[in-house]
């Protein structure tokens, strides 16, 4: 049986790994990048705290000695349901079963200027781009005598008060506190001004009230200006326009607000939900209106789980659990057995706010502070692919936390041009 999986994130990779060694099933994992990466730590790459290679790992290395797993580099162009094939930008593949696991991308809610000028944080490329932007801004700032330019380069606006927005705000504020004056003596006494803007009425929207209050308290203490009930409306000519009518002079708008599922051209229109463009699936993650196509993770919406009638949150654990169950169901199908429906087991949610401070919501409880921070570190090191990566990450963390001065603030810009 030929299974093609498009997307090697949490969902697609866990599905593929679960099928490793099952010689009845030949798996081809298609991904536009030749590596798997760990999005929850992207903000630490973006703030030069850890290296990109600490949180990414090549598929081909993972698939060594797993004889029924193949990696194929390519980006989906179209699904041809009549011929059971997919067209990618680098060739065509045929399948008996297709699994869509391409995740989600930033949603700019139709604001073209924001889309063109803001800095998203969804991929490794985005994180490196943001790191370069922040560091280049500082280099230009130290040379400028123009008050307006200085203001534009010192103000940083972060849109979205979910875990990513909170984590990146805390990290940039700490960079300002521990690193700025040491690396840039020219800026002595002047800190970046960080604005965290969210349209809702609390930070960490999906988390408990206690976590929300703790995040607000810690960030405010770090000097972050939190603006709740406020949305970004436009971003052009180094001005961020807010829904309150206020304008912030800044050339840095970090976009951590809202996602939309990646497009999968070729699926029947009735299988795409209006909200968030997510692919509608049944209790087995089978795509509505198809017989041999599944969708898992952030890209799909499943309303059959009784505890989640509006669909699951777009979280790593949902993607991992769906990937594993669909792998088991494909094995069942290959043996002519019936499939098992999906139900999500919530292990809890957490967010880091700053050094030594995190919040953890468990199904039956809440805790915060240093212990929560340690739990966060521990939980985030386990799923990092590869033993060497875990060891390198642990060392980098240890070094950076002890010294308050990681040495990764390098501006490395890839040369533009086409590789053949
Ligand atoms: C900055 C950030 C922080 C986060 N923090 C947390 C957290 O702390 N806790 C938590 O639970 N969740 C967190 N999330 C959400 C979590 O990362 C997602 O829920 C999870 O990654 C979804 O897994 P997925 O496999 O569905 O998609 P993804 O992990 O996004 O994987 C999609 C894969 O598809 C590939 N792909 C995309 N388009 C194509 C294409 N056209 N052709 C081929 N391949 C393609 C991509 O390269 C990628 O490998 C965070 C997300 C981000 C962006």
């Amino acid at each position: 049986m030929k299974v093609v999986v498009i997307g090697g994130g949490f969902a697609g990779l866990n599905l593929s790994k679960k099928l490793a060694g099952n010689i009845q099933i030949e798996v081809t994992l298609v991904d536009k990048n030749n590596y798997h990466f760990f999005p929850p730590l992207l903000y630490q790459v973006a703030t030069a705290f850890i290296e990109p290679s600490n949180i990414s790992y090549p598929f081909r290395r993972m698939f060594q000695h797993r004889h029924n797993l193949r990696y194929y580099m390519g980006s989906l162009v179209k699904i041809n349901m009549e011929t059971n094939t997919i067209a990618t930008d680098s060739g065509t593949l045929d399948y008996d079963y297709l699994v869509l696991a391409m995740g989600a991308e930033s949603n700019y809610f139709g604001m073209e200027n924001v889309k063109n000028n803001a800095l998203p944080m969804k991929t490794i490329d985005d994180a490196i781009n943001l790191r370069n932007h922040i560091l280049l801004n500082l280099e230009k700032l130290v040379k400028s005598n123009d008050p307006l330019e200085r203001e534009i380069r010192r103000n940083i606006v972060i849109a979205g008060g979910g875990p990513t927005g909170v984590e990146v705000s805390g990290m940039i504020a700490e960079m300002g506190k521990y690193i700025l004056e040491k690396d840039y003596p020219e800026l002595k006494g002047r800190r970046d001004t960080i604005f965290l803007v969210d349209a809702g009425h609390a930070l960490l929207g999906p988390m408990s009230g206690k976590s929300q209050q703790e995040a607000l308290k810690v960030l405010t203490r770090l000097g972050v200006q939190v603006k709740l009930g406020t949305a970004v409306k436009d971003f052009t000519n180094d001005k961020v326009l807010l829904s309150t009518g206020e304008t912030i002079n800044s050339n840095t708008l970090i976009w951590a607000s809202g996602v939309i599922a990646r497009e999968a051209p070729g699926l029947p229109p009735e299988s795409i939900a209006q909200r968030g463009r997510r692919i509608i699936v049944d209790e087995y993650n089978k795509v509505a209106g198809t017989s041999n196509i599944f969708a898992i993770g952030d890209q799909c919406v499943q309303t059959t789980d009784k505890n989640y009638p509006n669909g699951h949150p777009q979280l790593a654990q949902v993607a991992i659990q769906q990937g594993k169950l669909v792998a088991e169901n494909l094995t069942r199908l290959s043996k002519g057995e019936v499939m098992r429906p999906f139900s999500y087991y919530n292990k809890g949610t957490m967010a880091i706010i700053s050094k030594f401070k995190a919040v953890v919501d468990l199904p039956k409880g809440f805790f915060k502070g240093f212990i929560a921070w340690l739990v966060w570190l521990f939980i985030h090191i386990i799923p990092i692919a590869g033993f060497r990566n875990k060891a390198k990450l642990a060392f980098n963390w240890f070094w950076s936390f002890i010294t308050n001065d990681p040495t990764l603030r390098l501006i490395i810009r890839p040369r533009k041009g086409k590789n053949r």
Side-chain angles (χ1 to χ4, degrees), residues 6-13 30-33 35-43 59 74-77 101-104 121-123 163-164 167 262-263 296-299 313-317 319 350 376 380:
I6 314 180
F10 286 119
L13 183 66
V30 181
D31 201 295
K32 56 186 182 177
N33 297 314
Y35 55 84
H36 167 77
F37 73 99
F38 190 76
L41 292 178
L42 274 178
Y43 79 97
F59 290 116
S75 186
L76 176 70
V77 174
M102 288 181 282
M121 220 184 33
K122 291 292 292 173
T123 64
T164 303
E167 286 165 353
R262 289 215 169 83
E263 255 180 302
I296 52 180
D298 280 5
Q299 208 182 5
Q314 285 162 298
L315 291 175
Q317 268 305 321
M350 54 180 66
W376 186 96
H380 281 77

Side-chain angles (χ1 to χ4, degrees), residues 351-415:
I352 201 162
I353 312 171
S354 70
K355 190 176 163 183
F356 303 140
K357 290 198 169 65
V359 283
V360 177
D361 283 342
L362 296 173
K364 285 186 187 142
F366 156 85
F367 63 105
K368 63 174 186 179
F370 183 65
I371 299 292
W373 180 80
L374 276 182
V375 171
W376 186 96
L377 286 192
F378 185 68
I379 299 271
H380 281 77
I381 214 155
I382 295 172
I384 296 285
F387 175 77
R388 267 190 77 212
N389 269 18
K390 287 190 217 295
K392 271 166 46 188
L393 178 59
F395 177 77
N396 273 355
W397 269 348
F398 175 75
W399 189 251
S400 301
F401 286 128
I402 293 288
T403 60
N404 274 329
D405 201 0
T407 50
L408 303 169
R409 292 182 294 282
L410 312 171
I411 303 170
I412 298 173
R413 284 164 288 188
R415 210 162 100 189

Side-chain angles (χ1 to χ4, degrees), residues 102-400:
M102 288 181 282
E105 59 192 17
S106 296
N107 187 356
Y108 299 94
F109 306 104
M111 294 181 284
E112 277 304 305
N113 288 332
V114 175
K115 183 176 174 183
N116 294 333
N117 303 324
L119 295 150
M121 220 184 33
K122 291 292 292 173
T123 64
I124 294 272
D125 293 350
D126 292 340
I128 295 173
N129 190 36
L130 179 51
R131 182 176 87 181
N132 284 342
H133 174 88
I134 292 173
L135 296 175
L136 278 168
N137 234 6
L138 288 168
E139 292 303 333
K140 290 179 183 159
L141 178 58
V142 294
K143 294 189 191 115
S144 171
N145 291 319
D146 174 18
L148 178 60
E149 185 187 358
R150 293 180 77 106
E151 190 184 337
I152 285 169
R153 295 196 187 280
R154 275 183 34 215
N155 285 342
I156 295 178
V157 184
I158 296 145
T164 303
V166 166
E167 286 165 353
V168 81
S169 312
M171 200 70 166
I172 294 177
E174 293 206 315
M175 251 178 110
K177 192 168 156 192
Y178 294 115
I179 292 166
L180 211 64
E181 287 186 6
K182 282 193 278 185
D183 270 16
Y184 305 88
E186 303 92 324
L187 298 177
K188 202 164 173 52
R190 300 195 199 108
R191 289 254 192 101
D192 286 340
T193 314
I194 302 159
F195 300 90
L196 176 58
V197 178
D198 193 282
H201 292 285
L203 296 176
L204 299 179
M207 294 190 75
S208 68
K210 284 181 178 162
S211 291
Q212 295 172 348
Q213 284 151 23
E214 177 71 5
L216 182 61
K217 193 174 90 190
V218 173
L219 289 184
T220 309
R221 210 180 283 151
L222 276 170
V224 176
Q225 296 193 27
V226 179
K227 292 178 178 289
L228 296 172
T230 306
V232 168
K233 285 291 168 200
D234 202 358
F235 178 39
T236 180
N237 299 326
D238 297 332
K239 282 187 198 314
V240 180
L241 174 66
L242 304 181
S243 55
T244 51
E246 186 189 348
T247 297
I248 301 172
N249 292 320
S250 174
N251 70 346
T252 309
L253 171 62
I254 301 174
W255 196 250
S257 174
V259 292
I260 186 163
R262 289 215 169 83
E263 255 180 302
L267 288 183
E270 63 274 16
S271 65
I272 309 297
Q274 291 278 321
R275 209 164 133 244
R277 202 168 62 196
R278 288 163 88 177
I279 300 170
I280 302 167
V281 295
D282 66 11
E283 66 269 44
Y284 310 108
N285 282 83
K286 194 147 64 58
V287 175
T290 73
S291 59
N292 58 348
I293 304 182
F294 294 86
I296 52 180
D298 280 5
Q299 208 182 5
C300 76
V301 60
Q302 185 178 54
T303 54
T304 48
D305 193 340
K306 66 177 186 328
N307 295 324
Y308 299 90
N310 299 319
H312 302 104
Q314 285 162 298
L315 291 175
Q317 268 305 321
V318 176
I320 292 168
Q321 292 176 30
Q322 287 185 338
K324 288 182 176 171
L325 185 73
V326 170
E328 284 172 25
N329 280 337
L330 286 167
T331 305
R332 287 192 184 94
L333 285 175
S334 73
K335 295 180 187 162
E337 296 171 3
V338 290
M339 296 192 286
R340 267 184 46 215
F342 180 75
S343 106
Y344 173 50
Y345 173 59
N346 178 12
K347 295 181 179 172
T349 45
M350 54 180 66
I352 201 162
I353 312 171
S354 70
K355 190 176 163 183
F356 303 140
K357 290 198 169 65
V359 283
V360 177
D361 283 342
L362 296 173
K364 285 186 187 142
F366 156 85
F367 63 105
K368 63 174 186 179
F370 183 65
I371 299 292
W373 180 80
L374 276 182
V375 171
W376 186 96
L377 286 192
F378 185 68
I379 299 271
H380 281 77
I381 214 155
I382 295 172
I384 296 285
F387 175 77
R388 267 190 77 212
N389 269 18
K390 287 190 217 295
K392 271 166 46 188
L393 178 59
F395 177 77
N396 273 355
W397 269 348
F398 175 75
W399 189 251
S400 301

